[in-house]
Amino acid sequence: MNYKQCARLLLTHENILILTHKNPDGDTVSSAAALCSALRRGGRTACLYRNTQINRKLMPFAEPYFADEGFRAKYVVAVDIASEGQLPKDYEGKVDLCIDHHPSNSGYAAETLLREDKSSCAEAVMEIILCMNSEMSADEATLLYIGLTTDTGCFQYSNTCAASFRAAAELLRMGADNTMVSTVFFRKVSRARLKLESMIYAGMTYYRDGLIAVAKITLDMMARAGATEDDCDDLAGLPGRAEGSIVNITVREQEDGTSKISVRSTRDVNSSDICAVFGGGGHAMAAGCTIYGGPDKATETLLSVIDEVWK
């Protein structure tokens, strides 16, 4: 499916429900919201699934598009969701269309627009919107700029390419609020986040003479820092700051006894191959999964898998 076909398909449906993924990030939330806005401008009834895991920073951008209690979906679209295991918490039902950029996409939806060449799903949604409408609103441009910048780490991650900058320039031309996005998502953090980061850095462990860096975040650390889920965006980027590291792992203890794993790597190691062993996935240099057990046990299990994947 190409962009024009996807745009035409969307415009043939009504009562469209748009899903964001579990533990939502800036790309899934802002891309879904921008698509919802564009569909409404195109005369369609569209709403976002009320994902209760959306954090404080992203909630103002999603809330205007949430479905009312009486909304009855006739067509369901997943945005930036690579597999059924990443569907939002408590959602049960089919997915008619998936718009994604993850190479590990499992093909779970009835139809899929997959653009592995894009550094963010926002870039794919941008093309779809421009196929539906020749221009986009300033609000939609701002939303997509959030998705693009958060998924590229403000153009610092290795997935950033020339096309990322071209997309950013076009979004700015169409009215994206660069100053607001930079301030909210990259310059300011809570005091609880600062305290949590200090504990994470102090407790980081290293393996293979520093080639592997592991950051563990326990529930006790969260409590001592006074941190909530709202303070935890992009924790996966912290261990990668260690000089000389190639594989960088964040292990977050969860209330249900599992550990949420984020793996970041250089081109020497495939992060997705590591996470796929545990039913996860993502990109070659950025992936995630869930492992049953606390942070210490999860780290031990993960390291043994890395020994197999990365000889």
Side-chain angles (χ1 to χ4, degrees):
M1 181 185 297
N2 60 38
Y3 294 126
K4 288 184 179 180
Q5 291 169 331
C6 186
R8 283 197 297 266
L9 178 63
L10 285 165
L11 291 174
T12 61
H13 290 281
E14 266 292 351
N15 287 30
I16 301 169
L17 182 66
I18 305 173
L19 307 179
T20 54
H21 62 62
K22 188 183 295 183
N23 301 310
D25 60 9
D27 195 19
T28 188
V29 172
S30 59
S31 295
L35 180 63
C36 187
S37 174
L39 285 167
R40 289 179 179 182
R41 283 198 302 118
R44 296 296 175 267
T45 302
C47 296
L48 295 192
Y49 177 78
R50 194 175 289 272
N51 190 333
T52 58
Q53 292 186 312
I54 295 175
N55 66 32
R56 181 181 64 238
K57 197 175 286 187
L58 288 167
M59 185 59 77
F61 303 99
E63 202 162 24
Y65 303 101
F66 280 157
D68 295 328
E69 277 191 27
F71 181 78
R72 294 291 178 266
K74 295 181 180 178
Y75 193 75
V76 179
V77 181
V79 175
D80 195 43
I81 303 178
S83 67
E84 287 178 294
Q86 286 297 305
L87 289 172
K89 186 179 178 182
D90 299 327
Y91 176 76
E92 294 180 1
K94 64 176 183 175
V95 176
D96 298 294
L97 171 66
C98 175
I99 300 168
D100 193 19
H101 70 125
H102 294 99
S104 61
N105 189 285
S106 64
Y108 63 94
E111 295 187 84
T112 303
L113 173 69
L114 180 60
R115 289 305 305 263
E116 300 177 24
D117 59 315
K118 298 299 183 184
S119 59
S120 65
C121 199
E123 293 162 79
V125 171
M126 173 183 169
E127 297 294 343
I128 295 167
I129 292 175
L130 292 175
C131 286
M132 289 194 292
N133 306 284
S134 59
E135 278 287 337
M136 66 174 64
S137 70
D139 285 344
E140 289 160 11
T142 296
L143 286 166
L144 294 178
Y145 192 76
I146 292 170
L148 171 58
T149 53
T150 54
D151 238 34
T152 59
C154 205
F155 310 107
Q156 295 182 71
Y157 296 163
S158 58
N159 61 334
T160 304
C161 61
S164 310
F165 290 106
R166 285 194 293 269
E170 188 65 6
L171 290 170
L172 290 174
R173 184 191 69 79
M174 291 186 283
D177 189 344
N178 174 47
T179 301
M180 181 277 293
V181 173
S182 297
T183 301
V184 171
F185 291 95
F186 300 102
R187 296 182 62 192
K188 297 292 185 180
V189 296
S190 68
R191 295 181 185 182
R193 170 60 181 254
L194 291 173
K195 188 173 182 179
L196 180 62
E197 283 192 18
S198 71
M199 288 189 276
I200 292 171
Y201 285 131
M204 275 176 56
T205 51
Y206 304 90
Y207 304 87
R208 291 203 193 181
D209 295 324
L211 296 179
I212 300 174
V214 179
K216 298 176 186 175
I217 301 99
T218 66
L219 295 175
D220 179 65
M221 289 167 63
M222 293 282 291
R224 284 189 286 131
T228 68
E229 193 63 36
D230 291 330
D231 303 303
C232 293
D233 56 305
D234 199 33
L235 289 177
L238 300 186
R241 300 193 68 186
E243 187 177 15
S245 63
I246 290 178
V247 177
N248 307 292
I249 302 165
T250 305
V251 182
R252 281 192 59 197
E253 183 179 18
Q254 305 293 296
E255 295 279 0
D256 62 1
T258 64
S259 291
K260 179 186 173 186
I261 310 297
S262 296
V263 180
R264 302 291 184 266
S265 64
T266 66
R267 291 182 175 84
D268 301 273
V269 186
N270 191 308
S271 295
S272 187
D273 286 349
I274 294 169
C275 293
V277 175
F278 304 99
H283 300 282
M285 300 170 70
C289 63
T290 297
I291 296 178
Y292 289 94
D296 290 339
K297 180 63 177 176
T299 299
E300 181 183 337
T301 303
L302 195 60
L303 289 171
S304 67
V305 169
I306 292 174
D307 283 340
E308 294 300 317
V309 174
W310 182 27
K311 296 293 184 182

CSV table of all heavy atoms in Angstrom, one decimal, residues 4-34:
chain,number,residue,atom,x,y,z
A,4,LYS,N,-1.1,7.3,-1.2
A,4,LYS,CA,-2.3,7.7,-1.8
A,4,LYS,C,-3.4,6.7,-1.6
A,4,LYS,O,-4.6,7.0,-1.3
A,4,LYS,CB,-2.1,7.9,-3.3
A,4,LYS,CG,-1.3,9.2,-3.7
A,4,LYS,CD,-1.3,9.4,-5.2
A,4,LYS,CE,-0.5,10.7,-5.5
A,4,LYS,NZ,-0.4,10.9,-7.0
A,5,GLN,N,-3.0,5.4,-1.7
A,5,GLN,CA,-4.0,4.3,-1.5
A,5,GLN,C,-4.5,4.3,0.0
A,5,GLN,O,-5.6,4.2,0.3
A,5,GLN,CB,-3.4,3.0,-1.8
A,5,GLN,CG,-3.1,2.7,-3.3
A,5,GLN,CD,-2.2,1.5,-3.5
A,5,GLN,OE1,-1.4,1.2,-2.7
A,5,GLN,NE2,-2.4,0.9,-4.7
A,6,CYS,N,-3.5,4.6,0.9
A,6,CYS,CA,-3.9,4.6,2.3
A,6,CYS,C,-4.8,5.8,2.6
A,6,CYS,O,-5.8,5.7,3.3
A,6,CYS,CB,-2.6,4.8,3.2
A,6,CYS,SG,-2.9,4.7,4.9
A,7,ALA,N,-4.5,7.0,2.0
A,7,ALA,CA,-5.4,8.1,2.2
A,7,ALA,C,-6.8,7.9,1.7
A,7,ALA,O,-7.8,8.2,2.3
A,7,ALA,CB,-4.8,9.4,1.5
A,8,ARG,N,-6.9,7.3,0.5
A,8,ARG,CA,-8.2,7.0,-0.1
A,8,ARG,C,-9.0,6.0,0.7
A,8,ARG,O,-10.2,6.2,1.0
A,8,ARG,CB,-8.0,6.5,-1.5
A,8,ARG,CG,-7.7,7.5,-2.6
A,8,ARG,CD,-8.0,7.0,-4.0
A,8,ARG,NE,-7.1,5.9,-4.3
A,8,ARG,CZ,-5.9,6.0,-4.9
A,8,ARG,NH1,-5.5,7.2,-5.3
A,8,ARG,NH2,-5.2,4.9,-5.2
A,9,LEU,N,-8.3,5.0,1.2
A,9,LEU,CA,-8.9,4.0,2.1
A,9,LEU,C,-9.5,4.6,3.3
A,9,LEU,O,-10.6,4.4,3.7
A,9,LEU,CB,-7.9,2.9,2.5
A,9,LEU,CG,-8.4,1.8,3.4
A,9,LEU,CD1,-9.5,1.0,2.7
A,9,LEU,CD2,-7.2,0.9,3.8
A,10,LEU,N,-8.7,5.5,4.0
A,10,LEU,CA,-9.2,6.1,5.2
A,10,LEU,C,-10.4,7.0,5.0
A,10,LEU,O,-11.4,7.0,5.8
A,10,LEU,CB,-8.1,7.0,5.8
A,10,LEU,CG,-6.9,6.2,6.5
A,10,LEU,CD1,-5.7,7.1,6.8
A,10,LEU,CD2,-7.4,5.7,7.8
A,11,LEU,N,-10.4,7.7,3.8
A,11,LEU,CA,-11.5,8.6,3.5
A,11,LEU,C,-12.8,7.9,3.1
A,11,LEU,O,-13.8,8.5,2.9
A,11,LEU,CB,-11.1,9.6,2.5
A,11,LEU,CG,-10.1,10.6,3.0
A,11,LEU,CD1,-9.6,11.5,1.8
A,11,LEU,CD2,-10.6,11.5,4.1
A,12,THR,N,-12.7,6.6,2.9
A,12,THR,CA,-13.9,5.8,2.6
A,12,THR,C,-14.7,5.3,3.8
A,12,THR,O,-15.7,4.7,3.7
A,12,THR,CB,-13.6,4.6,1.7
A,12,THR,OG1,-12.7,3.7,2.4
A,12,THR,CG2,-13.0,5.0,0.4
A,13,HIS,N,-14.1,5.5,5.0
A,13,HIS,CA,-14.7,5.0,6.2
A,13,HIS,C,-15.2,6.1,7.2
A,13,HIS,O,-14.8,7.2,7.1
A,13,HIS,CB,-13.6,4.1,7.0
A,13,HIS,CG,-13.3,2.8,6.3
A,13,HIS,ND1,-14.1,1.7,6.3
A,13,HIS,CD2,-12.3,2.5,5.4
A,13,HIS,CE1,-13.6,0.8,5.6
A,13,HIS,NE2,-12.5,1.2,5.0
A,14,GLU,N,-16.0,5.7,8.0
A,14,GLU,CA,-16.6,6.6,9.1
A,14,GLU,C,-16.4,5.9,10.4
A,14,GLU,O,-16.1,4.8,10.6
A,14,GLU,CB,-18.1,6.8,8.9
A,14,GLU,CG,-18.4,8.1,8.0
A,14,GLU,CD,-18.0,9.3,8.8
A,14,GLU,OE1,-17.7,9.3,10.0
A,14,GLU,OE2,-18.0,10.4,8.2
A,15,ASN,N,-16.6,6.7,11.5
A,15,ASN,CA,-16.4,6.3,12.9
A,15,ASN,C,-15.0,5.5,13.0
A,15,ASN,O,-15.0,4.4,13.4
A,15,ASN,CB,-17.5,5.4,13.3
A,15,ASN,CG,-18.8,6.2,13.5
A,15,ASN,OD1,-19.0,7.2,12.9
A,15,ASN,ND2,-19.6,5.7,14.5
A,16,ILE,N,-14.0,6.3,12.8
A,16,ILE,CA,-12.6,5.7,12.8
A,16,ILE,C,-12.0,5.9,14.2
A,16,ILE,O,-12.0,7.0,14.7
A,16,ILE,CB,-11.7,6.4,11.8
A,16,ILE,CG1,-12.3,6.2,10.4
A,16,ILE,CG2,-10.3,5.9,11.8
A,16,ILE,CD1,-11.7,7.1,9.3
A,17,LEU,N,-11.6,4.8,14.8
A,17,LEU,CA,-10.9,4.8,16.1
A,17,LEU,C,-9.4,4.6,15.8
A,17,LEU,O,-9.0,3.6,15.2
A,17,LEU,CB,-11.5,3.7,17.0
A,17,LEU,CG,-10.9,3.6,18.4
A,17,LEU,CD1,-11.2,4.8,19.2
A,17,LEU,CD2,-11.3,2.3,19.1
A,18,ILE,N,-8.6,5.5,16.4
A,18,ILE,CA,-7.2,5.4,16.2
A,18,ILE,C,-6.5,5.0,17.5
A,18,ILE,O,-6.7,5.6,18.6
A,18,ILE,CB,-6.6,6.8,15.7
A,18,ILE,CG1,-7.4,7.2,14.5
A,18,ILE,CG2,-5.1,6.7,15.4
A,18,ILE,CD1,-7.1,8.6,14.0
A,19,LEU,N,-5.6,4.0,17.4
A,19,LEU,CA,-5.0,3.4,18.6
A,19,LEU,C,-3.5,3.9,18.7
A,19,LEU,O,-2.8,4.1,17.7
A,19,LEU,CB,-4.9,1.9,18.5
A,19,LEU,CG,-6.2,1.1,18.3
A,19,LEU,CD1,-6.0,-0.4,18.2
A,19,LEU,CD2,-7.3,1.5,19.3
A,20,THR,N,-3.1,4.1,19.9
A,20,THR,CA,-1.7,4.4,20.3
A,20,THR,C,-1.2,3.2,21.0
A,20,THR,O,-1.9,2.5,21.6
A,20,THR,CB,-1.5,5.7,21.1
A,20,THR,OG1,-2.4,5.6,22.3
A,20,THR,CG2,-1.9,6.9,20.3
A,21,HIS,N,0.2,3.0,21.1
A,21,HIS,CA,0.7,1.8,21.7
A,21,HIS,C,0.8,1.8,23.2
A,21,HIS,O,0.7,2.9,23.8
A,21,HIS,CB,2.0,1.4,21.0
A,21,HIS,CG,3.1,2.3,21.1
A,21,HIS,ND1,3.7,2.7,22.3
A,21,HIS,CD2,3.9,3.0,20.2
A,21,HIS,CE1,4.7,3.5,22.1
A,21,HIS,NE2,4.8,3.7,20.8
A,22,LYS,N,1.0,0.7,23.7
A,22,LYS,CA,1.3,0.5,25.2
A,22,LYS,C,2.5,1.4,25.6
A,22,LYS,O,3.4,1.5,24.8
A,22,LYS,CB,1.5,-1.0,25.5
A,22,LYS,CG,1.6,-1.3,26.9
A,22,LYS,CD,2.0,-2.8,27.0
A,22,LYS,CE,0.9,-3.7,26.5
A,22,LYS,NZ,1.2,-5.2,26.7
A,23,ASN,N,2.4,2.0,26.8
A,23,ASN,CA,3.5,2.9,27.2
A,23,ASN,C,3.8,3.9,26.1
A,23,ASN,O,4.9,3.9,25.6
A,23,ASN,CB,4.7,2.1,27.6
A,23,ASN,CG,4.5,1.1,28.7
A,23,ASN,OD1,3.9,1.4,29.8
A,23,ASN,ND2,4.9,-0.2,28.5
A,24,PRO,N,2.8,4.7,25.8
A,24,PRO,CA,2.9,5.5,24.6
A,24,PRO,C,4.0,6.6,24.7
A,24,PRO,O,4.3,7.2,25.7
A,24,PRO,CB,1.6,6.2,24.5
A,24,PRO,CG,1.0,6.1,25.8
A,24,PRO,CD,1.5,4.9,26.4
A,25,ASP,N,4.7,6.8,23.5
A,25,ASP,CA,5.7,7.8,23.4
A,25,ASP,C,5.2,9.0,22.5
A,25,ASP,O,4.1,9.0,22.1
A,25,ASP,CB,7.0,7.2,22.8
A,25,ASP,CG,6.8,6.6,21.5
A,25,ASP,OD1,5.8,6.8,20.8
A,25,ASP,OD2,7.8,6.0,21.0
A,26,GLY,N,6.1,9.9,22.3
A,26,GLY,CA,5.7,11.1,21.5
A,26,GLY,C,5.3,10.8,20.1
A,26,GLY,O,4.4,11.4,19.5
A,27,ASP,N,5.9,9.8,19.5
A,27,ASP,CA,5.6,9.5,18.1
A,27,ASP,C,4.2,8.9,17.9
A,27,ASP,O,3.4,9.4,17.1
A,27,ASP,CB,6.7,8.5,17.5
A,27,ASP,CG,6.6,8.5,16.0
A,27,ASP,OD1,6.1,9.4,15.4
A,27,ASP,OD2,7.2,7.5,15.5
A,28,THR,N,3.9,7.9,18.7
A,28,THR,CA,2.5,7.3,18.6
A,28,THR,C,1.4,8.3,18.9
A,28,THR,O,0.4,8.3,18.2
A,28,THR,CB,2.4,6.0,19.4
A,28,THR,OG1,1.2,5.3,19.1
A,28,THR,CG2,2.5,6.3,20.9
A,29,VAL,N,1.6,9.0,20.0
A,29,VAL,CA,0.5,9.9,20.4
A,29,VAL,C,0.3,11.1,19.4
A,29,VAL,O,-0.8,11.4,19.0
A,29,VAL,CB,0.8,10.5,21.8
A,29,VAL,CG1,-0.2,11.6,22.2
A,29,VAL,CG2,0.7,9.4,22.9
A,30,SER,N,1.4,11.7,19.1
A,30,SER,CA,1.3,12.9,18.2
A,30,SER,C,0.9,12.5,16.8
A,30,SER,O,0.1,13.3,16.1
A,30,SER,CB,2.5,13.7,18.2
A,30,SER,OG,3.6,13.0,17.8
A,31,SER,N,1.4,11.4,16.3
A,31,SER,CA,1.0,11.0,14.9
A,31,SER,C,-0.4,10.6,14.9
A,31,SER,O,-1.1,10.9,13.9
A,31,SER,CB,1.9,9.8,14.6
A,31,SER,OG,3.3,10.1,14.5
A,32,ALA,N,-0.9,9.9,15.9
A,32,ALA,CA,-2.4,9.5,16.0
A,32,ALA,C,-3.2,10.8,16.0
A,32,ALA,O,-4.3,10.9,15.4
A,32,ALA,CB,-2.6,8.6,17.1
A,33,ALA,N,-2.8,11.7,16.9
A,33,ALA,CA,-3.6,13.0,17.0
A,33,ALA,C,-3.7,13.8,15.7
A,33,ALA,O,-4.7,14.3,15.3
A,33,ALA,CB,-3.1,13.8,18.2
A,34,ALA,N,-2.5,13.9,15.1
A,34,ALA,CA,-2.5,14.6,13.8
A,34,ALA,C,-3.3,14.0,12.7
A,34,ALA,O,-4.1,14.6,12.0
A,34,ALA,CB,-1.0,14.7,13.3
